[in-house]
Amino acid sequence: MLAYTYIEHGKFKLLEKPRPEIRDSRDAIIRVTLSSICTSDLHIKHGSVPRAIPGITVGHEMVGVVEQIGADVLSVKPGDRVTVNVETFCGECFFCRHGYVNNCTDPNGGWALGCRIDGGQAQYVRVPFADQGLNCIPDAVSDEQALFVGDILATGFWATRISEISEEDTVLIIGAGPTGICTLLCTMLKKPQRIIVCEKSPDRIHFIREHYPDILITEPENCKEFVLQNSDHGGADVVLEVAGGEDTFRLAWECARPNATVTVIALYDKPQILPLPYMYGKNLTFKTGGVDGCDCAEILTLIEKGKIDTTPLITHRFPLTEIEKAYHIFENREDGVIPSRASAKVNICFNTNHRMEDVVSWVQKNVIFSSGQFELKYDLRHPGYYNYPEREIKLLQQAVEHSTGMLPHCGTAGAASSASALVQLCPVIEFGFANALMHRVNESAKVEDIYLLEIIYKDFIRACLNSNGQN
């Protein structure tokens, strides 16, 4: 069978592999009909998931048809169309019995498929604990309608469930990427008094206005004031933080009213500060963690009744044989795909022995930004180190401007032995990946210690990969 495989750091390849076989009486073999590409797949490719094992087939969000079951599988039978849960869980340990399946204590518990065991960007996949990880798709629900049930839709449903939203509430959702949209759909099921979405991407704002015209929308810089004007008790009753941006965690608790619930769904690139002295007296309740994806059957019923529809999030469709092309489009934001915001943070570190002219030369040769609309924001301050003159800092800014063809919005010209550019790309694709690269520069340039430390793209693209070869 064909299977898209993690070969080594930076390399995936479509390979011929043996079809999976039953290893345990609780296994099932699934013929994959649709799979999606997620941020986490690209995290694996670029070395940001240390647990990932080279040689595994990637992919953890899929639907398919049951081909074979183990002797102890009771909930599905060959021929059933099923969703596959992103999490593997035994259903028997303390955490599973209490519904905390993300913390299953089985060695294969948690995120295993497409990370530690073979996943679903293939023609077939073995699913452990099939009675827990598979749910039958109703006849009235298409594969595309069910595709996100096991991952991002389960995440949004779980987040709204633990947030205990009531019909009297004002709910603020920060971030309107695919997971944010799924969270919005699940919040709408609770029928709160009002829902506010905070988002800065024009394309995402347009998407919400087009598909969900009753939702109030604000941008981050106006969010606190907007929430105050559109709530009854000095802030939102419930805040769902889905963005994972540099300042979105602080924005979440600042926009919450006293005694509110703040639910953090997002993942962050670095630790967040919980400034207790400033929030003392607000008596906030924080809820966070990995999704407990045990509501898939209920979600499928809601889709069947027409109460949830995530198909607008699907932008492109490819046969499995063209998966290399699909990944290329994701990573390079090509082919005019329907947009979603992606952001990139590029940190360029250099020591105090380097001339700024050499740094500029290196940036021009090594940091290439794809075409599109950009907002560049520089933080060139790093206290305690050598300060470059403002003229030389402008050279660096001009170098990046030259690379992108866009005029950057420059931050404070301060200086540093560490320069970082935060690049917010206007949406060109429902896309995201994390990458960590290290470039050694020619010693003759006298910048041998310059490293491109990390390129991080947030969010993710969702595209169907039709493994039976049909578009």
Side-chain angles (χ1 to χ4, degrees):
M1 71 168 187
L2 291 174
Y4 204 48
T5 304
Y6 174 35
I7 304 298
E8 60 186 13
H9 187 156
K11 185 177 182 181
F12 284 178
K13 189 175 182 179
L14 189 62
L15 299 178
E16 279 284 349
K17 286 184 173 182
R19 281 176 55 168
E21 298 178 347
I22 297 290
R23 298 183 185 178
D24 184 276
S25 62
R26 295 168 292 181
D27 290 350
I29 306 300
I30 307 301
R31 175 172 58 85
V32 180
T33 55
L34 292 178
S35 180
S36 69
I37 296 176
C38 175
T39 306
S40 302
D41 301 321
L42 293 161
H43 287 181
I44 290 173
K45 180 179 179 180
H46 298 288
S48 300
V49 184
R51 297 180 300 164
I53 300 174
I56 60 101
T57 301
V58 294
H60 57 269
E61 190 169 53
M62 71 211 84
V63 295
V65 177
V66 177
E67 289 284 304
Q68 185 181 359
I69 59 174
D72 293 327
V73 175
L74 302 175
S75 64
V76 297
K77 63 183 184 302
D80 286 343
R81 289 190 308 129
V82 292
T83 61
V84 180
N85 200 307
V86 64
E87 293 172 333
T88 300
F89 54 99
C90 69
E92 299 173 354
C93 69
F94 169 84
F95 294 104
C96 286
R97 285 186 284 107
H98 287 79
Y100 309 137
V101 299
N102 179 64
N103 301 111
C104 175
T105 57
D106 186 88
N108 280 329
W111 179 26
L113 287 169
C115 178
R116 292 175 284 132
I117 63 176
D118 286 336
Q121 288 173 18
Q123 291 173 301
Y124 296 89
V125 62
R126 179 182 69 90
V127 179
F129 302 117
D131 281 337
Q132 314 301 328
L134 301 178
N135 290 94
C136 288
I137 302 173
D139 291 340
V141 176
S142 70
D143 285 2
E144 287 197 0
Q145 287 176 301
L147 180 57
F148 301 133
V149 166
D151 189 3
I152 58 171
L153 193 47
T155 299
F157 195 88
W158 162 81
T160 56
R161 172 165 57 81
I162 66 172
S163 297
E164 302 179 78
I165 298 168
S166 74
E167 294 185 359
E168 293 79 28
D169 286 342
T170 294
V171 178
L172 170 65
I173 300 171
I174 300 176
T179 305
I181 295 298
C182 287
T183 303
L184 170 62
L185 291 172
C186 296
T187 299
M188 291 167 63
L189 296 174
K190 305 292 185 179
K191 299 181 180 180
Q193 184 175 351
R194 61 182 68 87
I195 302 173
I196 303 169
V197 171
C198 176
E199 176 56 57
K200 64 182 177 182
S201 162
D203 292 87
R204 289 180 171 181
I205 291 172
H206 175 76
F207 181 91
I208 295 170
R209 285 178 174 157
E210 178 182 1
H211 293 277
Y212 318 109
D214 295 332
I215 302 303
L216 300 175
I217 303 172
T218 184
E219 297 185 34
E221 57 268 26
N222 304 316
C223 187
K224 285 188 286 185
E225 181 179 353
F226 187 90
V227 172
L228 282 173
Q229 292 174 351
N230 290 276
S231 58
D232 300 324
H233 308 291
D237 302 283
V238 175
V239 181
L240 296 130
E241 209 294 74
V242 199
E246 186 173 352
D247 300 314
T248 53
F249 176 73
R250 183 180 185 91
L251 183 64
W253 67 260
E254 285 183 340
C255 289
R257 65 156 171 82
N259 302 96
T261 296
V262 178
T263 300
V264 179
I265 309 164
L267 294 174
Y268 300 98
D269 294 334
K270 54 188 178 182
Q272 301 296 300
I273 296 174
L274 191 68
L276 294 174
Y278 295 99
M279 61 173 63
Y280 184 79
K282 289 196 80 170
N283 293 11
L284 299 174
T285 298
F286 286 86
K287 298 186 177 184
T288 185
V291 53
D292 290 315
C294 51
D295 301 304
C296 295
E298 184 176 354
I299 295 171
L300 283 166
T301 299
L302 291 166
I303 294 173
E304 183 181 25
K305 293 179 178 178
K307 295 185 177 182
I308 297 178
D309 179 18
T310 56
T311 54
L313 294 175
I314 299 173
T315 60
H316 277 53
R317 296 156 179 84
F318 297 87
L320 181 60
T321 53
E322 296 181 13
I323 192 170
E324 294 278 4
K325 177 182 177 181
Y327 267 85
H328 178 79
I329 290 173
F330 304 159
E331 296 195 32
N332 293 280
R333 302 173 300 282
E334 295 177 354
D335 199 29
V337 297
I338 294 175
S340 172
R341 185 195 60 167
S343 66
K345 179 173 66 179
V346 179
N347 295 320
I348 306 169
C349 295
F350 46 93
N351 68 34
T352 57
N353 297 321
H354 303 138
R355 295 180 305 155
M356 179 61 78
E357 286 83 353
D358 292 332
V359 174
V360 169
S361 175
W362 182 85
V363 169
Q364 289 174 325
K365 292 177 181 178
N366 292 279
V367 181
I368 302 172
F369 300 105
S370 298
S371 61
Q373 294 180 315
F374 294 83
E375 177 185 351
L376 304 187
K377 188 176 182 180
Y378 299 89
D379 182 1
L380 300 175
R381 296 164 293 177
H382 198 289
Y385 290 92
Y386 176 85
N387 288 336
Y388 287 99
E390 182 174 347
R391 177 187 66 82
E392 295 183 337
I393 291 174
K394 287 183 178 180
L395 285 175
L396 180 58
Q397 296 168 344
Q398 291 167 4
V400 180
E401 177 186 349
H402 174 77
S403 296
T404 62
M406 302 297 293
L407 179 64
H409 300 279
C410 300
T412 304
S417 63
S418 175
S420 66
L422 176 63
V423 184
Q424 299 290 346
L425 288 75
C426 279
V428 282
I429 195 164
E430 279 199 337
F431 166 81
F433 73 97
N435 189 6
L437 299 175
M438 183 172 286
H439 294 278
R440 182 168 291 278
V441 182
N442 191 314
E443 290 188 5
S444 64
K446 298 181 181 179
V447 284
E448 65 274 11
D449 293 326
I450 301 179
Y451 300 113
L452 179 56
L453 292 182
E454 75 183 335
I455 301 176
I456 300 177
Y457 291 86
K458 300 175 185 175
D459 298 335
F460 44 86
I461 178 170
R462 302 285 170 176
C464 294
L465 301 172
N466 192 329
S467 67
N468 63 15
Q470 297 178 353
N471 287 317

